[in-house]
Amino acid sequence: MATDLPPAPGPSGAPPQPQRLCPHCSTVSQTTARDCPFCRRSFHRRSNTAAIVVAIALGAVATVGSVTALLAATADEVDREINSEISTIQQDIEDEVARAQRQIEAEVRRLREQLPASGLSAP
Ligand SMILES: [Zn+2]
């Protein structure tokens, strides 16, 4: 393992090589490179952050999807109830109109019978 270590800091005058701990393989190396010289993965936990962001986004999408589905289901239910109510009210109105029509016809017949047999007479 020691033979795999990168060369020690260069001669005086060269910029000092910072020690870096790889978050993936836990190897300490002296390098300015962005990637671990041992496992070749980035020193930055960007992939982890991306995974968390993706997880949160997926969670949010799932939540929005659930809420949307719930709202859609509720809307469907409300739609059905409203349609049922409308049908009932429409039926009630039709019944009411038919009853009123029968009453008007009966009243008209009654008034006609009360009129003098000669019909409309001049005053
Ligand atoms: Zn590594």
Side-chain angles (χ1 to χ4, degrees), residues 22 24-25 36 38-40:
C22 174
H24 304 288
C25 65
C36 170
F38 294 95
C39 69
R40 300 291 170 199

Side-chain angles (χ1 to χ4, degrees), residues 5-30:
L5 282 170
S12 58
Q17 301 275 303
Q19 281 203 339
R20 308 194 77 170
L21 173 66
C22 174
H24 304 288
C25 65
S26 300
T27 304
V28 177
S29 54
Q30 292 176 320

Side-chain angles (χ1 to χ4, degrees), residues 20-25 33-37 39-48:
R20 308 194 77 170
L21 173 66
C22 174
H24 304 288
C25 65
R34 294 167 57 94
D35 299 334
C36 170
C39 69
R40 300 291 170 199
R41 293 165 78 179
S42 174
F43 283 119
H44 302 286
R45 292 177 174 272
R46 209 168 276 164
S47 58
N48 199 15

Side-chain angles (χ1 to χ4, degrees), residues 96-108:
E96 204 65 38
V97 167
R99 192 178 305 133
Q101 201 165 6
R102 281 195 300 275
Q103 283 176 350
I104 289 167
E105 284 168 359
E107 190 71 9
V108 166

